[in-house]
Structure formats: structure tokens, C-alpha cells
Amino acid sequence: MRSVYLETKFELGGEYDLEGRAAHHLLNVVRVKQNETILGLNGEGVSAKLLIQDVNKKSISFKAIEVISHQRKMKFDLFIGKLKKDALDLSLKQATELGISTIYIVETEFSQRYRLNLERIDKLLISAMEQSNNPFKPEIKEVKAEEVEFLSYDKVLCFTMDKEQARPVYDFSQDQKVLLVIGPEGGLSILDQSLILNSAGDKLAMINLPTYILRASTAVPTAVGYALR
């Protein structure tokens, strides 16, 4: 179902208005009509089936005819070294579509150095939510590697191209709270891997997959697929 993000608390029978770029897209690209229904997403795990009551050139009015509270399908967070902007954009979109809860954009030894545009990133996340009908908007945290609380996770899965660093994962289940670790362009340095090893302890599994070197935007869905296996 076509969806739209509304930063609101949905209530059965509640009436909502949409203006600006989102309304323009629905009116002039999707060409929604009065009495059609679309899915409203608030980013906090609640969706609503919205009946279009009125349309004009600049706005749309809705009424909530059904409201649903959702539970997250998995408990995965993502640690990803700060990438070049285009690669980061795609990785963030894919992480949102896949249902990642929190995304740590991390300063590592080989990561890019630039200021994040959080307003722009928020728009990317909303676009990915609407594309995938994901009712949850990921939380974005820009941190240094040492600021990540590795021990708060049941498992830390760090993906590496170094076969000698591989440490297999045991007793892993999808119900556990899991942190997926992916390096930036250039990968995780020896210093980065040592920090993660010392911080995560026996919760850490170093995963070496039988693939060639993956771009981060490919590594994200691959990592989630591995964890869901």
C-alpha cells in the first residue's frame, strides 16, 4: 500500500492534514484521489489506514479508519564506519528498509571526515520508510568507536575480510539483541578491530564470508541476511 510519513500520534477517527513536498508528491506524482486509502507511518511503530477526505492544490486531509501498533521484527542495530556521502545514503536507506533499529555512524581510522547533514539524512530515512512500509524510523547516532556500548548487546557480529581474524559465532538466535559491525571504505584497521575485540569480549564473533570485497551498501543487506539465516 502507498504510504506517507506523518509525525503525529494516530488515533482512530483522528483527522490529519498534509502539506508541502509530501503532499505535492502524492497529488502530482502518485495522483491520489478523494476516498482512496493510504498507509500513514509515524516512525514510532504505529501505522494507520488513512481515508483521503479532501484534496486541493496544496494539501490533503485524511481520517484514520484503522490504527495498528507494531512490534519490531528483529533487534538488530548497525555500526558502520562513516562512508563517502553517496555510499552512506544508500546504506542508510537499505538499513531502514531492512528494519535496523539504531544506526551508529562511526568515526574509525579509515572513515571519511565531514559533517553529517542530519536534516538531509532524516529525509532519506523517511523516504526509505515510505518505500518499505516500515513503521519504525531508525535512530541515528554519530559516535566514535569507543563510545559504542558493545556490552549492551547479546552478540556483536563484526564482518571482516581477514580470514585470520575470523572467530565463529555460537548459540546465536534472532531473538537476541545484535550489533552488526561494518567498516568504511578501506575496512576496519587493526586498531579498530582491537578496540572492538577488547570492548565486546566473548560477545564478539568475527565473521569472514566467502565473498570478494563488498561495498558497504552491499555489505549491509548481506550482514542482515547472515544474521537472519
Side-chain angles (χ1 to χ4, degrees), residues 159 161 182-185 209 211-220 222-223:
F159 292 83
M161 294 304 298
I182 296 173
E185 293 96 350
L209 299 176
T211 65
Y212 298 108
I213 295 174
L214 301 178
R215 293 178 298 173
S217 57
T218 306
V220 170
T222 300

Side-chain angles (χ1 to χ4, degrees), residues 110-155:
F110 299 146
S111 64
Q112 299 293 310
R113 300 289 191 266
Y114 60 87
R115 184 184 297 275
L116 291 177
N117 184 334
L118 295 178
E119 182 178 349
R120 179 172 175 276
I121 286 176
D122 193 61
K123 291 177 181 178
L124 288 173
L125 301 183
I126 290 170
S127 174
M129 287 174 57
E130 293 174 339
Q131 173 68 32
S132 60
N133 284 0
N134 181 359
F136 295 95
K137 183 165 67 172
E139 182 179 4
I140 298 292
K141 295 184 178 181
E142 185 178 12
V143 297
K144 296 180 180 179
E146 58 267 26
E147 295 173 329
V148 178
E149 296 181 358
F150 294 97
L151 291 178
S152 68
Y153 292 91
D154 297 307
K155 291 292 181 183

Side-chain angles (χ1 to χ4, degrees), residues 1-225:
M1 179 180 288
R2 174 68 61 175
S3 65
V4 64
Y5 173 76
L6 291 170
E7 191 173 350
T8 188
K9 301 290 185 182
F10 290 121
E11 296 180 359
L12 187 63
E15 297 185 351
Y16 310 94
D17 295 320
L18 183 68
E19 300 178 339
R21 294 178 62 183
H24 174 82
H25 178 77
L26 288 176
L27 289 167
N28 298 291
V29 179
V30 181
R31 298 187 182 278
V32 297
K33 305 293 182 184
Q34 188 174 9
N35 295 325
E36 290 183 7
T37 57
I38 66 172
L39 185 66
L41 308 170
N42 74 353
E44 297 178 357
V46 179
S47 66
K49 186 178 291 186
L50 301 174
L51 177 67
I52 299 174
Q53 294 187 300
D54 186 48
V55 297
N56 60 48
K57 292 182 178 180
K58 295 185 178 180
S59 66
I60 308 173
S61 297
F62 307 100
K63 182 176 182 178
I65 58 175
E66 184 179 357
V67 177
I68 303 172
S69 294
H70 301 266
Q71 298 294 323
R72 290 191 180 275
K73 295 182 178 181
M74 56 190 184
K75 303 174 183 178
F76 294 172
D77 291 348
L78 175 66
F79 167 124
I80 189 165
K82 186 185 288 185
L83 309 166
K84 294 177 182 178
K85 293 181 180 180
D86 288 348
L88 182 63
D89 287 353
L90 182 53
S91 297
L92 294 178
K93 288 180 180 179
Q94 291 179 326
T96 303
E97 292 170 3
L98 289 164
I100 296 294
S101 300
T102 299
I103 303 171
Y104 299 95
I105 302 175
V106 187
E107 180 181 320
T108 64
E109 187 170 357
F110 299 146
S111 64
Q112 299 293 310
R113 300 289 191 266
Y114 60 87
R115 184 184 297 275
L116 291 177
N117 184 334
L118 295 178
E119 182 178 349
R120 179 172 175 276
I121 286 176
D122 193 61
K123 291 177 181 178
L124 288 173
L125 301 183
I126 290 170
S127 174
M129 287 174 57
E130 293 174 339
Q131 173 68 32
S132 60
N133 284 0
N134 181 359
F136 295 95
K137 183 165 67 172
E139 182 179 4
I140 298 292
K141 295 184 178 181
E142 185 178 12
V143 297
K144 296 180 180 179
E146 58 267 26
E147 295 173 329
V148 178
E149 296 181 358
F150 294 97
L151 291 178
S152 68
Y153 292 91
D154 297 307
K155 291 292 181 183
V156 177
L157 307 185
C158 181
F159 292 83
T160 177
M161 294 304 298
D162 188 346
K163 292 182 180 180
E164 295 183 0
Q165 290 289 330
R167 292 174 53 180
V169 57
Y170 300 104
D171 300 324
F172 172 67
S173 88
Q174 295 175 14
D175 294 331
Q176 292 178 308
K177 185 179 179 184
V178 176
L179 180 64
L180 307 174
V181 178
I182 296 173
E185 293 96 350
L188 295 168
S189 70
I190 294 175
L191 182 63
D192 295 328
Q193 293 190 50
S194 177
L195 185 150
I196 294 168
L197 174 62
N198 292 331
S199 300
D202 60 5
K203 297 182 181 231
L204 176 67
M206 299 291 289
I207 310 300
N208 175 255
L209 299 176
T211 65
Y212 298 108
I213 295 174
L214 301 178
R215 293 178 298 173
S217 57
T218 306
V220 170
T222 300
V224 173

